[in-house]
Amino acid sequence: MQAPDVPRPMSASELQLVVRQERLEAAFLLHRDAAGALQVTSLDREGPLTVGRRASCDVAFEWDHEVSRTHAILERVGGEWTVSDDGLSRNGTFVNGERLRARQRLRDGDVLRVGAAAIAYRLPIEGASAATAEAKGLDAVPLSDTQRRILIALCRPYAAGGFATPASNQEVAGEVHLSLDAVKNHLRVLYQRFEIGHLAQNRKRARLAECALKLGLVTERDI
């Protein structure tokens, strides 16, 4: 089974919503509703959380008929969040593309699939060291004016909200009045600065825009 797409922020307002949640340092879930809007569910609780098609479920997918009425249960065991379905679901529950066979501990970045819906599990504390190192690196070597203008141009499409993709190299070049080759060279440097050079080409640009917005290097006022 192929892993589902990760429910990740696709606009500046969605990124700000996630950043506010991360600052609480409690586990949370991300998923999209029937209209495509990003939803955040805090796990700052003691009792179990239900996922299913019933409207009464804590995370409800009433629009997805592949989801069972009560599909899966998340609960805290020994201070760790776990997921299980114990035969509740007809179509099964998947974690990172693998069918769930028994109760499984969740880790930061895990993606659940129930029916056609994807749910991302986030635990900011687990990812804190990488984020802190990244932020320190950026503070130590300030962005040049040209690099910042390129980041602003790259993030420009996020100003409209909703689903967005970063500006193309050609669009960035046109806005900052640089040659296409010059923009590519600057982007390569930025990929290394943000330690995302190892990502697939189609992910680098989106991840760079996410980092710029999340760390406040580009603000909604800029775009």
Side-chain angles (χ1 to χ4, degrees), residues 134 137-138 141-143 147 188-195:
E134 182 177 59
L138 290 170
V141 185
L143 294 173
Q147 288 172 337
R188 277 194 287 270
V189 171
L190 289 168
Y191 293 151
Q192 294 305 314
R193 286 280 310 284
F194 283 80
E195 298 183 355

Side-chain angles (χ1 to χ4, degrees), residues 26-87:
F28 63 95
L29 304 175
L30 294 174
H31 74 276
R32 292 195 178 275
D33 62 20
L38 188 69
Q39 301 296 317
V40 176
T41 302
S42 174
L43 295 180
D44 186 16
R45 57 194 292 170
E46 291 302 323
L49 176 144
T50 55
V51 177
R53 200 173 71 247
R54 293 181 188 273
S56 58
C57 287
D58 297 292
V59 178
F61 297 102
E62 299 172 75
W63 49 270
D64 190 341
H65 294 289
E66 294 182 18
V67 175
S68 298
R69 286 175 293 180
T70 301
H71 196 106
I73 296 176
L74 277 72
E75 63 184 320
R76 197 193 299 266
V77 177
E80 305 285 352
W81 279 96
T82 65
V83 60
S84 62
D85 68 12
D86 294 329

Side-chain angles (χ1 to χ4, degrees), residues 129-195:
S129 59
T132 300
E134 182 177 59
K136 285 181 178 178
L138 290 170
D139 290 339
V141 185
L143 294 173
S144 69
D145 179 65
T146 299
Q147 288 172 337
R148 188 168 184 278
R149 287 191 295 118
I150 285 174
L151 286 178
I152 291 172
L154 186 74
C155 296
R156 187 79 64 191
Y158 289 82
F163 291 96
T165 56
S168 67
N169 289 350
Q170 191 66 58
E171 290 170 333
V172 172
E175 178 170 334
V176 301
H177 305 294
L178 290 174
S179 70
L180 188 58
D181 284 341
V183 168
K184 290 179 178 179
N185 287 334
H186 280 292
L187 285 173
R188 277 194 287 270
V189 171
L190 289 168
Y191 293 151
Q192 294 305 314
R193 286 280 310 284
F194 283 80
E195 298 183 355

